[in-house]
């Protein structure tokens, strides 16, 4: 049926005020808290946008669907409530078609529901994007504000630990304070990096000529100090592997990968970090033994707030692998995971030199 002959857009346009009121009334009955909203004009614009789609005119100007999604977010309504609201709209419009005895057939009803689905999709996308942006702003601001007082706690504990003749119980207490503050600062650093990466600018890197072996060796030494009870091995060429990279950021990658391997492997097993050189590229591998990663998790392993085993260890916010991935990507490299019961788990980072 052509747009000119289609009775559905005409029904929505002629009766949009009545339909919008029926939609709002049904929502007020379903959710009493919605009674305070004055949605008539906004809901009418959404109905008009749906009519435009039915006419084959594409997306209506003005973003009525997105505006509704954003307004619901600002009012505190969760995404599920927005989906339910569109279910109410679907019932109201379908009832109006039935009462008007329109002969639209199955194809017409299918097009009507597709247009409503499109409206819901755009409203839900706006709601989700707004929620993500708000979360990222909160994460960035709170993390930044927490870093300074935690630095003061860490420096104070370290200074007290250096004073002579401290009783052993006090030294143990100061060591616990130092370790806890260090973990908190690391998590804050991860959250700040996440905030930078998710804002669209990526994690900044400042490449310069350097030796990858020295970078990995330093990171492994730091992990050995942080996990003295575990065996962390280094397998690297005897000579330098030079290239252009941000050494501090790559040390962060190695630290995140080794820490993750230690946290998800059996304590009696070793974790191995390797440095490999191959012409114009270099590679870092981190291997651990133990239970393989669930194949269903592998495609999502480098997403934010994901954890390899589904239950994260203490002192983790589930950002280590995501940040490692973003740093490698900023270097023009790639990162991948192999995980089998026989071979264990290996994370491989490939970097251009």
């Amino acid at each position: 049926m052509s747009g000119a002959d289609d009775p559905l857009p005409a029904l929505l346009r002629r009766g949009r005020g009545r339909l919008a009121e029926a939609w709002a009334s049904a929502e007020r009955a379903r959710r009493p808290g919605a009674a305070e909203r004055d949605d008539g004009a906004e809901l009418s614009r959404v109905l008009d946008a749906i009519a435009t789609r039915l006419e084959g005119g594409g997306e209506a100007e003005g973003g009525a669907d997105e505006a509704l999604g954003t307004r619901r977010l600002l009012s505190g309504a969760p995404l599920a409530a927005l989906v339910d609201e569109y279910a109410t709209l679907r019932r109201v419009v379908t009832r109006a078609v039935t009462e008007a005895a329109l002969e639209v057939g199955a194809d017409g009803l299918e097009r009507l529901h597709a247009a409503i689905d499109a409206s819901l999709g755009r409203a839900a996308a706006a709601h989700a994007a707004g929620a993500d942006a708000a979360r990222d702003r909160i994460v960035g601001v709170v993390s930044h504000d927490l870093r300074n007082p935690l630095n003061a706690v860490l420096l104070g504990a370290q200074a007290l630990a250096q004073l002579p003749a401290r009783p052993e119980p006090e030294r143990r207490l100061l060591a616990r304070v130092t370790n806890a503050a260090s973990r908190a600062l690391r998590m804050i650093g991860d959250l700040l990096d996440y905030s930078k990466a998710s804002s669209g600018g990526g994690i900044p890197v400042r490449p310069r000529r350097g030796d990858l072996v020295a970078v990995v060796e330093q990171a492994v030494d730091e992990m050995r100090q942080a996990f003295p009870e575990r065996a962390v091995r280094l397998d690297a060429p005897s000579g330098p592997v030079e290239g252009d990279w941000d050494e501090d950021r790559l040390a962060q990658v190695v630290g995140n990968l080794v820490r993750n391997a230690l946290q998800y492997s059996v304590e009696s097993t070793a974790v191995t970090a390797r440095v490999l050189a191959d012409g114009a590229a270099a590679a870092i591998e981190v291997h651990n033994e133990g239970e393989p990663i669930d194949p269903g998790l592998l495609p999502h392993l480098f997403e934010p707030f994901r954890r390899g085993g589904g239950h994260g260890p203490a002192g983790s916010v589930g950002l280590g692998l995501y940040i490692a991935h973003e740093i490698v990507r900023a270097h023009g490299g790639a990162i991948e995971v192999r995980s089998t019961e026989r071979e264990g788990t290996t994370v491989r980072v490939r970097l251009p030199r």
Side-chain angles (χ1 to χ4, degrees), residues 79-95:
L79 185 58
L82 179 66
V83 173
D84 289 342
E85 187 170 356
Y86 267 85
T88 302
L89 167 65
R90 199 181 302 272
R91 289 192 296 272
V92 167
V93 173
T94 302
R95 187 185 308 119

Side-chain angles (χ1 to χ4, degrees), residues 86-271:
Y86 267 85
T88 302
L89 167 65
R90 199 181 302 272
R91 289 192 296 272
V92 167
V93 173
T94 302
R95 187 185 308 119
V97 171
T98 302
E99 291 174 351
L102 295 183
E103 296 182 1
V104 296
D107 289 344
L109 289 176
E110 184 176 345
R111 288 187 300 103
L112 173 63
H113 291 306
I116 294 174
D117 288 341
S119 176
L120 169 59
R122 293 174 72 90
H127 186 289
D132 287 345
R135 180 193 63 193
D136 293 346
R137 285 194 297 271
I138 292 171
V139 165
V141 170
V142 172
S143 300
H144 183 273
D145 289 348
L146 283 175
R147 188 164 53 176
N148 287 339
L150 273 172
N151 265 321
V153 171
L154 179 60
L155 292 174
Q158 291 172 338
L160 288 172
Q162 299 302 315
L163 295 176
R166 308 284 320 174
E168 186 58 28
E170 289 186 16
R171 288 188 176 278
R172 288 197 298 268
L173 176 60
L174 289 170
R176 287 198 295 269
V177 171
T178 298
N179 290 336
S182 296
R183 285 196 303 271
L185 283 169
R186 185 173 64 249
M187 287 188 284
I188 287 172
D190 285 350
L191 288 169
L192 287 171
D193 283 339
Y194 164 75
S195 182
K196 293 174 187 175
S198 63
S199 67
I203 295 179
V205 296
R206 297 174 179 82
R208 60 185 179 87
R209 204 69 182 168
D211 176 17
L212 188 60
V213 173
V215 171
V216 176
E217 186 175 21
Q218 177 186 346
V220 166
D221 285 343
E222 291 175 356
M223 288 298 99
R224 287 169 176 163
Q225 294 175 25
F227 297 86
E229 73 284 0
R230 297 295 303 273
V232 183
R233 299 170 181 165
L234 175 62
D235 181 4
S238 56
V241 175
E242 294 188 342
D244 294 319
W245 27 59
D246 187 322
E247 295 183 352
D248 290 337
R249 285 299 191 181
L250 287 187
Q252 186 179 0
V253 169
V254 177
N256 285 357
L257 297 182
V258 171
R259 182 180 293 107
N260 189 77
L262 288 167
Q263 291 171 332
Y264 286 103
S265 60
V266 179
E267 290 189 3
S268 60
T269 62
V271 169

Side-chain angles (χ1 to χ4, degrees), residues 22-66:
W23 183 7
S25 296
E27 279 298 290
R28 285 194 292 268
R30 189 176 68 86
R31 291 189 303 124
E36 299 175 0
R37 297 197 307 238
D38 180 15
D39 286 339
E42 191 161 52
L43 299 182
S44 293
R45 285 192 292 271
V46 171
L47 289 164
D48 192 56
I50 294 172
T52 300
R53 291 189 186 91
L54 286 168
E55 292 169 338
E59 301 300 334
E61 295 183 2
D65 314 306
E66 292 88 342

